[in-house]
Amino acid sequence: MSKNFNQLKAQMSAEAQKEASLKTQEMLSAMPLQELRQARHFSQQRLAELLSTKQANLSRIERQADMYISTLRSYIEAMGGELDIIARFLEGGVHINQFNDIGEKQHQ
C-alpha cells in the first residue's frame, strides 16, 4: 500500500526534513531551459507561439549550450520572468546591467 508524501515526510526527523528542503531548493535554483519551461507549465508549442517562432526552433534553443543574451531574455520573458545576469566573486555578486537595454531596443 502506498503512502502519500505528507505521511512519509512526517516520519522523517526534523534534520532530514530540513536537508530534503535544502536539496529541493538547490535543485529548483538551477535547471536547464526545458525543465524550467516544464516547471512553469508551458508546452514547447505554446511558448513557440508566444515567441512567434516554430516549435522546432524552440526545441533547438533548449538544446543549445551557447546563445545570444537577447534570445535567452525573450525566452524567459515569454514565460513571465525577467533575466538578470550576475557575476559572482568571493567578495560578492555584481549585477551586469550592460544588457538591460537589449530588451528595450527590441520592443521599440
Side-chain angles (χ1 to χ4, degrees):
M1 180 174 171
S2 64
K3 298 180 181 181
N4 84 29
F5 178 74
N6 288 330
Q7 290 173 329
L8 293 172
K9 185 177 174 183
Q11 294 174 356
M12 295 169 63
S13 69
E15 184 177 322
Q17 287 183 30
K18 182 178 179 182
E19 213 174 290
S21 179
L22 289 173
K23 184 67 174 173
T24 300
Q25 289 305 313
E26 181 182 310
M27 289 172 65
L28 290 175
S29 70
M31 62 178 64
L33 289 176
Q34 176 185 355
E35 289 180 20
L36 175 60
R37 175 182 50 76
Q38 291 169 341
R40 302 282 305 159
H41 306 291
F42 282 89
S43 67
Q44 275 189 341
Q45 185 62 41
R46 177 64 183 133
L47 196 53
E49 290 169 6
L50 292 171
L51 291 168
S52 301
T53 191
K54 296 178 181 176
Q55 181 270 332
N57 291 338
L58 192 75
S59 177
R60 181 184 48 77
I61 289 169
E62 290 181 346
R63 290 189 317 269
Q64 281 182 286
D66 189 12
M67 70 181 69
Y68 288 114
I69 292 170
S70 57
T71 301
L72 181 57
R73 180 182 303 279
S74 296
Y75 184 100
I76 299 300
E77 288 178 352
M79 292 187 292
E82 182 179 321
L83 180 65
D84 283 325
I85 299 176
I86 300 171
R88 299 197 195 290
F89 300 94
L90 290 176
E91 301 83 13
V94 177
H95 180 260
I96 308 298
N97 63 9
Q98 153 179 359
F99 306 109
N100 288 350
D101 63 346
I102 289 175
E104 294 168 11
K105 287 179 184 175
Q106 288 181 334
H107 290 67
Q108 291 178 353

